[in-house]
Amino acid sequence: VIPVGVLVWFQLLCVPVVAGVLGATHAEIEHHLEMGRKLLAAGQLAEALSHYHSAVDGDSKNYLTFYKRAAVFLAMGRSKSALPDLSRAIQLKPDFLAARLQRGNILLKQGLTQEARDDFQAVLQRSPDHEEAREQLVRATELEELQEEAHATYHRGDYSTTLLFQISPWDPESRELRADCYIRMGDPRKAIQDLTPTTRLRNDNRAAFLKLGRLHYDLGEHHESLSHVRECLRLDQDDKECFSLYKQVKKLSKQLDSAEELIQEERYQDAIDKYESATKTEPSVQFYTNLATERICFCLVKLKRVVEAIDTCSEAHQRDPHNANILRDRAEAYILNQDYEKAVEDYQEAREFNSDSIEIKEGLERAQKLLKISRKRDYYKILGVSRVANKQEIIKAYRKLAQQWHPDNFQVESEKKEAEKKFIEIASAKEVLTNPELREKFDAGEDPLDPENQQGGGGGHQGWPFHFDPFGSGGSFHFKFEHN
């Protein structure tokens, strides 16, 4: 989309070229100018610029060809390229007021108030009633006063007042000043917004690239940081400050990316090692130490190293109390530790910070189910094993308890009945936890032996739907260990 102002003053340029022709015929130059005008009106700026280049090459003495090419540069947002053409047009025709006014407007946007005032005054000398030139001259004077005031308040250390002054959109110096104020006031995001355009407004702005690299790095945006530092080195590969930051960012970025790749490959211990290396590479930037602690917490949960996981996740939570992922991971660690109440609490808090997460919603529902059934019957607690126990550990615990609570070991009727009840619980726990399908259901918050969960409900012994039936011999218990 071409700015309306550019189109308006460009329409004034459709004047036949009458200057001498160098290297091209008058007809050829006219053709290029006409094609340039049509392409500009159609918004095909690159094609239009090509024709104006040809027109300028064909006749370097005609002020209008430079003026028309400047119009295309401005339509493309390339004000720095338009300035030389406008200056050349003024040089060829000093009384060309349209070019002086346009150049003054660009200079004003660049914050070059004195140069802009010279152009506006030149227009008013030849055309005292020129309203736009008079208005812009007033603006130039006001901006000059504001610039002086801004620098004065900055040097007094009054950064909040400095931030209030109006800057010219293409003035790199003013943007850099305001960015420094944002940095000093602890707002790096706004500093980045002001600094980023300055990399285009100056031909060699290594200082801005370096500062942007450091700002992004401190915010934890190591990929963006690396991109800016590379731009700095592209301008000067021997820049010591940029190269030093480049080595640091590249090393850390490689470690962090590698750690995440290892997590995707489920190589959790290797990922832990890589994150620990990253904290040694960058121990002072809080974002990276927080990130490493959070991800190590996640890996420890995946490795089912319960005690370490709870400790590390708790440390991560202290560092970043509003991080829903940390609360989710600690909740999972609490579940592994059979501390379902704490798991529910963490999931509930996590949902406050991220109410849209399906994973957190489902995790909370599962934790609540586990808490509910644990108050009825917890097979892990019955056998005295952890939730991460393997099949061999479960069978070993079962055998020990079965020997202890076998009803034949008791003679007193009341004790025998208590032992029968206990023995059934032990057998049930063993059956569920050594059956992968039943154990998966139990871990998801469903008791597969609960009569309420059985198809058709009913009485009898439907609460124990497996091959071991302690009542199958009419009340006489025949104890037999199975090696499964």
Side-chain angles (χ1 to χ4, degrees):
V1 178
I2 302 170
V4 175
V6 173
L7 286 176
V8 170
W9 69 268
F10 181 76
Q11 290 171 357
L12 302 174
L13 307 182
C14 299
V15 180
V17 177
V18 295
V21 176
L22 296 177
T25 65
H26 176 81
E28 288 172 337
I29 295 172
E30 281 294 320
H31 169 73
H32 285 305
L33 291 173
E34 178 62 18
M35 287 299 298
R37 184 189 67 79
K38 290 180 179 179
L39 290 166
L40 176 61
Q44 300 178 39
L45 303 182
E47 294 83 351
L49 184 61
S50 177
H51 281 285
Y52 282 118
H53 283 326
S54 298
V56 169
D57 292 341
D59 185 0
S60 61
K61 298 295 183 182
N62 190 287
Y63 68 96
L64 279 175
T65 57
F66 289 98
Y67 188 57
K68 292 176 180 182
R69 187 169 68 174
V72 183
F73 280 130
L74 285 173
M76 298 175 76
R78 296 168 57 183
S79 59
K80 287 194 294 185
S81 299
L83 270 180
D85 277 357
L86 291 171
S87 296
R88 179 59 176 158
I90 293 169
Q91 183 184 12
L92 292 170
K93 187 175 177 57
D95 62 346
F96 192 9
L97 301 188
R100 279 200 179 273
L101 183 65
Q102 193 66 14
R103 187 175 71 174
N105 288 335
I106 294 173
L107 292 169
L108 185 60
K109 288 182 178 180
Q110 291 181 340
L112 301 172
T113 54
Q114 184 56 56
E115 293 89 334
R117 288 173 61 187
D118 292 343
D119 273 339
F120 297 140
Q121 287 171 343
V123 172
L124 290 171
Q125 284 176 359
R126 293 183 177 273
S127 180
D129 297 328
H130 200 295
E131 185 176 350
E132 183 180 354
R134 187 183 300 108
E135 291 176 354
Q136 291 298 81
L137 181 60
V138 172
R139 287 189 62 194
T141 302
E142 291 175 346
L143 182 59
E144 200 167 45
E145 293 172 352
L146 286 171
Q147 288 175 336
E148 292 176 1
E149 183 181 352
H151 281 85
T153 57
Y154 174 83
H155 289 300
R156 290 198 303 267
D158 188 356
Y159 307 117
S160 58
T161 301
T162 308
L163 290 174
L164 299 176
F165 87 97
Q166 182 181 1
I167 64 172
S168 300
W170 299 338
D171 178 10
E173 182 180 346
S174 296
R175 285 189 175 275
E176 288 162 354
L177 177 68
R178 192 166 71 175
D180 192 54
C181 290
Y182 280 127
I183 292 172
R184 291 174 183 271
M185 295 190 68
D187 196 342
R189 289 289 179 197
K190 288 186 178 178
I192 288 172
Q193 290 176 4
D194 265 334
L195 273 177
T196 301
T198 68
T199 61
R200 300 186 300 272
L201 295 172
R202 293 191 191 276
N203 292 328
D204 181 358
N205 203 349
R206 280 173 289 158
F209 279 121
L210 179 62
K211 191 170 287 187
L212 283 167
R214 286 173 174 160
L215 288 169
H216 281 293
Y217 181 75
D218 289 344
L219 288 169
E221 299 164 351
H222 51 96
H223 291 135
E224 291 84 347
S225 174
L226 198 57
S227 176
H228 286 298
V229 180
R230 281 175 173 154
E231 285 298 316
C232 179
L233 290 174
R234 188 178 64 82
L235 293 170
D236 182 1
Q237 62 181 0
D238 296 323
D239 191 299
K240 292 182 179 179
E241 286 188 280
C242 285
F243 186 66
S244 176
L245 181 60
Y246 171 74
K247 288 194 299 182
Q248 174 76 4
V249 181
K250 184 179 180 182
K251 181 179 180 181
L252 180 66
S253 186
K254 185 177 181 181
Q255 289 173 326
L256 295 175
D257 290 344
S258 176
E260 286 304 308
E261 289 173 6
L262 290 167
I263 288 176
Q264 293 300 316
E265 296 169 6
E266 298 184 0
R267 295 167 58 188
Y268 299 115
Q269 182 56 57
D270 291 336
I272 290 173
D273 295 340
K274 191 65 70 174
Y275 269 117
E276 288 176 344
S277 297
T279 60
K280 294 175 183 176
T281 300
E282 181 48 80
S284 57
V285 177
Q286 185 179 19
F287 177 88
Y288 300 111
T289 52
N290 288 0
L291 173 66
T293 309
E294 173 191 342
R295 299 305 278 159
I296 290 172
C297 152
F298 173 82
C299 292
L300 288 170
V301 173
K302 290 296 184 181
L303 291 170
K304 298 184 178 180
R305 285 154 58 180
V306 180
V307 176
E308 291 177 80
I310 291 174
D311 289 344
T312 304
C313 292
S314 296
E315 180 188 347
H317 179 56
Q318 287 180 339
R319 290 174 175 272
D320 191 358
H322 297 159
N323 190 319
N325 292 335
I326 295 172
L327 288 163
R328 173 205 64 197
D329 295 337
R330 191 171 69 172
E332 288 300 312
Y334 279 137
I335 287 174
L336 292 174
N337 202 43
Q338 303 178 53
D339 196 342
Y340 306 117
E341 289 186 6
K342 288 184 178 179
V344 169
E345 290 173 3
D346 271 359
Y347 264 125
Q348 287 174 334
E349 189 175 354
R351 197 171 184 189
E352 291 177 9
F353 299 130
N354 188 357
S355 58
D356 296 328
S357 172
I358 300 299
E359 183 183 14
I360 290 174
K361 177 178 178 292
E362 292 177 348
L364 174 59
E365 292 172 353
R366 179 164 50 88
Q368 289 171 331
K369 286 180 182 178
L370 288 169
L371 176 60
K372 182 178 179 181
I373 65 173
S374 72
R375 290 169 174 168
K376 294 182 178 179
R377 181 166 48 196
D378 188 332
Y379 297 122
Y380 290 104
K381 288 183 178 180
I382 289 171
L383 292 183
V385 297
S386 72
R387 293 184 69 88
V388 298
N390 58 37
K391 187 173 182 179
Q392 288 71 28
E393 291 170 330
I394 291 168
I395 292 174
K396 182 179 179 181
Y398 160 71
R399 286 174 174 171
K400 181 179 179 180
L401 290 170
Q403 285 178 328
Q404 178 184 348
W405 290 99
H406 194 282
D408 289 347
N409 295 334
F410 299 88
Q411 303 303 320
V412 179
E413 188 64 27
S414 60
E415 292 179 351
K416 196 177 189 71
K417 288 185 177 180
E418 182 65 27
E420 289 175 3
K421 181 179 178 183
K422 190 75 174 178
F423 190 72
I424 291 172
E425 287 183 344
I426 295 166
S428 302
K430 177 258 185 184
E431 189 67 19
V432 170
L433 298 184
T434 55
N435 183 311
E437 182 181 349
L438 297 179
R439 184 174 182 178
E440 183 179 354
K441 287 183 178 181
F442 184 71
D443 287 345
E446 175 187 342
D447 185 349
L449 303 187
D450 190 331
E452 294 180 4
N453 293 331
Q454 303 306 311
Q455 290 294 328
H461 303 301
Q462 292 185 19
W464 322 107
F466 47 84
H467 66 273
F468 175 76
D469 184 359
F471 301 105
S473 58
S476 298
F477 295 96
H478 299 283
F479 185 69
K480 180 181 179 182
F481 290 116
E482 297 179 4
H483 299 277
N484 56 357

